[in-house]
Amino acid sequence: MEARERGIRTSIYRLGNVVFHSETGRFQQNIGDNAFYTLMQSFARLGLVPELEPDTDFSYVDGVSRAILLLMQPEALQNEIFHLLNPNLESMHRILTKERLGHSVETLEFAEFVDALAEKFSSGESRAEIDKIMLHYGWLESAQIQTRFEIASDRTVSYLERLGFTWRAMDDTLVERMIGYAKQTGFLDIHSDENHEF
């Protein structure tokens, strides 16, 4: 903002949940440091996932790059704040299935899921995974932030559509690419506690 006051043209790009490359499924080398992927890993290792309304955006890294380049070009879109978020939200329980992961993952209603977590935690089971879920998901707090972010992103989505860019929904092909790469790196190995770097 100080740069703008000095007459320098600036734009701010606020990113949503940046994930894999939509054509290859590849993701960052230090995949274990990513909060979303760690959350996905925790659900997979627990063998449990809550049934929720679509609440997760998948902003493919190549889509984010293309969107930024498009928004940088028009003269009329200088000195703006853009919120880059794929508006086609998806639910984790529709992504983390037995068919895709290769092992059983049970979908529970949210209240049942919380009860199952509490039972596991009190028995000392899967505490590391439960800690990660509580740390990285934080349903109530993140839901409030997510709602504000979605509202702010509507204008950016509109700009991008006029520039010929539309976010692709998370279809079966994209899910298979994401899961396939995560399995290839060993990140979704339910028996491993290591952070993989490839």
Side-chain angles (χ1 to χ4, degrees), residues 70-90:
L70 286 171
L71 291 168
M72 288 175 64
Q73 296 174 23
E75 187 73 23
L77 294 183
Q78 301 300 316
N79 295 322
E80 292 279 354
I81 298 177
F82 301 106
H83 296 76
L84 296 165
L85 164 73
N86 186 343
N88 304 296
L89 303 183
E90 189 49 271

Side-chain angles (χ1 to χ4, degrees), residues 59 71 74 113 140 156:
S59 299
L71 291 168
F113 178 78
L140 293 177
T156 302

Side-chain angles (χ1 to χ4, degrees), residues 12-47:
I12 298 171
Y13 302 88
R14 293 177 176 163
L15 308 183
N17 180 39
V18 180
V19 292
F20 61 97
H21 192 291
S22 65
E23 295 298 323
T24 66
R26 292 183 64 84
F27 193 54
Q28 65 191 55
Q29 289 185 335
N30 56 334
I31 190 171
D33 291 337
N34 180 271
F36 170 74
Y37 274 72
T38 299
L39 175 68
M40 182 168 63
Q41 181 191 62
S42 295
F43 286 141
R45 289 183 178 175
L46 274 176

Side-chain angles (χ1 to χ4, degrees), residues 122-193:
S122 63
S123 67
E125 181 184 351
S126 304
R127 284 198 169 184
E129 307 309 331
I130 295 171
D131 284 344
K132 291 175 188 175
I133 290 174
M134 299 306 294
L135 175 65
H136 295 302
Y137 214 134
W139 286 278
L140 293 177
E141 179 182 355
S142 65
Q144 295 169 356
I145 296 172
Q146 181 82 352
T147 299
R148 293 197 296 271
F149 199 92
E150 287 172 30
I151 293 172
S153 73
D154 288 346
R155 188 166 61 101
T156 302
V157 169
S158 179
Y159 283 149
L160 287 170
E161 288 177 348
R162 280 182 272 173
L163 292 170
F165 176 90
T166 303
W167 286 102
R168 180 176 174 181
M170 188 69 166
D171 57 25
D172 288 341
T173 298
L174 292 175
V175 173
E176 289 169 7
R177 288 173 182 167
M178 176 183 72
I179 297 293
Y181 179 73
K183 291 172 70 174
Q184 175 189 329
T185 63
F187 187 69
L188 286 182
D189 179 355
I190 62 173
H191 303 294
S192 173
D193 290 321

Side-chain angles (χ1 to χ4, degrees), residues 52-99:
L52 299 171
E53 292 297 316
D55 63 348
T56 304
D57 82 278
F58 289 82
S59 299
Y60 320 113
V61 64
D62 51 315
V64 170
S65 300
R66 184 179 169 216
I68 290 174
L69 289 174
L70 286 171
L71 291 168
M72 288 175 64
Q73 296 174 23
E75 187 73 23
L77 294 183
Q78 301 300 316
N79 295 322
E80 292 279 354
I81 298 177
F82 301 106
H83 296 76
L84 296 165
L85 164 73
N86 186 343
N88 304 296
L89 303 183
E90 189 49 271
S91 300
M92 293 295 285
H93 74 276
R94 289 164 54 175
I95 291 173
L96 300 177
T97 64
K98 178 180 180 180
E99 292 74 21

